[in-house]
Amino acid sequence: MPRRNLVAWNAMLSGLSMHGMAAEVLKLFSRMVAEEALQPDDITFVGVLSACSRSGLVEQGEKFFHELGTVYGLKPKVEHYACMVDLLGRAGRLEEAEALVREMPVLPNEVVLGSLLASCSLHGKLDLGRRLMEELVQMDPHNTEYHVLLSNMYASSGRHFEADGLREAMRRKGIRKAPGISFIEVNGQVHQFSAGDKSHPQAREVHAMLDEVVQRLRMAGYVPDVASQIPRAMDNYLENWEEREQALLVHSEKLAICFGLISTRPGLPLRIFKNLRICTDCHAVIKLISDIFGREVIVRDRNRFHCFRKEMEKPAVGTRKLFQGHLISAMAIGFVVRGSNGYEEDQD
């Protein structure tokens, strides 16, 4: 670009942040301020703080949040508080996150409280989760995501009767969870899968591939996260453990990936789109699939991009260009920062 204004820099920072590339975000921010002498604005700090949150950079995030006002003269907005609550919550510092919420100069919105509730689910803080749920229901009584989060927290802690009671309350109120649907494009045609889907013309081949995938996953040490699944018969939940495990194995993104494995050449990347956020079990499974089958897998859910790829000897072309100082769209190059385990450091 002949002239890179603040809009261009913010777009780049936001795109890299969405891809979990925190190191590149921080480097570009330093360049923008030091070399280009540009004054960051509210949008700039949303991109920087969200990058810190997604990569677990707590100290850096706290530093930028402090400098937002003291160095750059900006007043923190609710979006910045939401990033910080998410950052602290993901790191397990839930008491600090809640204190920050209560000290906000404005009333917290659903994004702030919902982020803290998600962190409660991640770290098993049931009591705080219940209190947050009461506040969120007052704001949006028909939001399914909050009900499902708390229900899953009950299930994960072994309180299956409470989980079932919450689900039953949802049914009585007419609150229905949107079905999870995943999409994959192969040879210019988009294929759609729902959980347990057998309507696809190649359903038999897809499920046969799924059986092979599950067998290889188990050989690699995979254990399904069945404890987080809600049993259908609460007085008999131990007996239907196998049923719950099977329900977990046929999530829509797993079926879409299996279709991709049988429909594309070995080594080609798989790109999946899902209308809901992927669960922790699918996240773990996709990491293993990427490793076992040597595939780069990119999943775009309702929250962000999740990129899984084994460590390579040389950085991707986009990475080299970025470090040479060229401003490249993160959406276009589609590469990831890889951690010591061979995958991106994903904090979801």
Side-chain angles (χ1 to χ4, degrees):
M1 293 177 63
R3 182 174 179 272
R4 294 172 290 197
N5 58 17
L6 185 59
V7 174
W9 283 96
N10 283 346
M12 186 63 188
L13 291 170
S14 298
L16 292 173
S17 174
M18 186 177 293
H19 280 263
M21 303 177 66
E24 279 68 28
V25 169
L26 300 187
K27 289 177 182 178
L28 282 181
F29 178 82
S30 297
R31 280 186 52 204
M32 185 189 83
V33 174
E35 299 178 18
E36 302 288 336
L38 288 174
Q39 175 74 9
D41 63 4
D42 298 337
I43 299 174
T44 309
F45 278 98
V46 170
V48 172
L49 291 174
S50 62
C52 292
S53 173
R54 287 165 175 161
S55 297
L57 304 178
V58 179
E59 293 183 2
Q60 292 92 325
E62 290 179 320
K63 172 179 174 290
F64 282 114
F65 185 73
H66 176 71
E67 291 181 351
L68 188 152
T70 59
V71 176
Y72 299 101
L74 298 173
K75 185 177 181 180
K77 294 185 176 180
V78 67
E79 294 85 358
H80 304 118
Y81 280 101
C83 291
M84 286 304 299
V85 169
D86 189 51
L87 172 67
L88 295 171
R90 287 172 183 258
R93 295 163 57 174
L94 294 172
E95 292 183 0
E96 295 176 59
E98 184 184 15
L100 182 62
V101 170
R102 305 311 173 192
E103 295 170 1
M104 288 175 56
V106 296
L107 290 176
N109 60 13
E110 294 177 57
V111 176
V112 175
L113 296 180
S115 175
L116 187 54
L117 177 61
S119 295
C120 290
S121 177
L122 178 64
H123 296 286
K125 300 295 184 179
L126 186 56
D127 291 338
L128 176 56
R130 292 172 63 180
R131 296 202 307 271
L132 292 169
M133 180 65 181
E134 293 176 359
E135 296 183 58
L136 286 164
V137 168
Q138 297 297 321
M139 296 179 179
D140 186 0
H142 296 287
N143 187 298
T144 61
E145 185 174 353
Y146 308 139
H147 289 80
V148 171
L149 272 174
L150 184 59
S151 179
N152 289 343
M153 289 174 65
Y154 278 129
S156 296
S157 61
R159 300 172 64 170
H160 296 284
F161 287 98
E162 288 92 336
D164 185 60
L166 185 56
R167 296 271 180 154
E168 181 60 33
M170 290 174 60
R171 285 190 286 270
R172 289 198 306 268
K173 296 177 182 178
I175 303 174
R176 296 182 179 275
K177 178 185 175 184
I181 301 175
S182 295
F183 305 86
I184 182 172
E185 181 179 349
V186 176
N187 296 326
Q189 182 177 357
V190 177
H191 299 262
Q192 173 181 317
F193 294 89
S194 58
D197 199 340
K198 294 185 178 180
S199 63
H200 192 275
Q202 294 179 255
R204 181 174 297 180
E205 293 89 338
V206 169
H207 283 267
M209 185 70 229
L210 178 64
D211 291 339
E212 178 184 340
V213 168
V214 171
Q215 182 179 5
R216 297 181 68 173
L217 289 173
R218 293 189 189 281
M219 292 175 62
Y222 163 68
V223 178
D225 185 17
V226 179
S228 65
Q229 300 301 297
I230 310 299
R232 294 181 181 177
M234 300 314 302
D235 57 347
N236 197 31
Y237 74 89
L238 289 177
E239 283 76 0
N240 60 31
W241 186 273
E242 183 176 344
E243 177 185 336
R244 288 188 285 152
E245 180 177 296
Q246 182 59 30
L248 191 65
L249 293 175
V250 293
H251 278 189
S252 62
E253 53 268 61
K254 293 185 177 84
L255 296 178
I257 289 174
C258 287
F259 176 75
L261 290 174
I262 66 174
S263 304
T264 60
R265 296 195 308 273
L268 290 181
L270 302 177
R271 295 178 174 86
I272 312 297
F273 297 85
K274 185 173 182 180
N275 64 327
L276 303 177
R277 188 168 181 172
I278 65 173
C279 69
T280 54
D281 184 82
C282 287
H283 197 279
V285 164
I286 297 171
K287 281 188 176 183
L288 287 172
I289 289 176
S290 176
D291 188 10
I292 294 170
F293 291 89
R295 297 285 194 118
E296 178 182 7
V297 183
I298 303 169
V299 181
R300 177 64 166 108
D301 67 4
R302 63 176 296 176
N303 187 53
R304 59 166 292 187
F305 287 92
H306 304 263
C307 306
F308 308 92
R309 180 168 59 179
K310 292 186 66 176
E311 185 69 79
M312 299 176 65
E313 293 183 2
K314 296 181 180 180
V317 173
T319 309
R320 294 198 297 271
K321 288 185 178 180
L322 183 66
F323 279 93
Q324 291 168 2
H326 294 279
L327 190 64
I328 303 173
S329 170
M331 298 291 289
I333 56 181
F335 60 89
V336 299
V337 176
R338 294 173 293 278
S340 59
N341 61 353
Y343 298 96
E344 68 168 319
E345 296 295 339
D346 198 331
Q347 298 295 316
D348 283 347

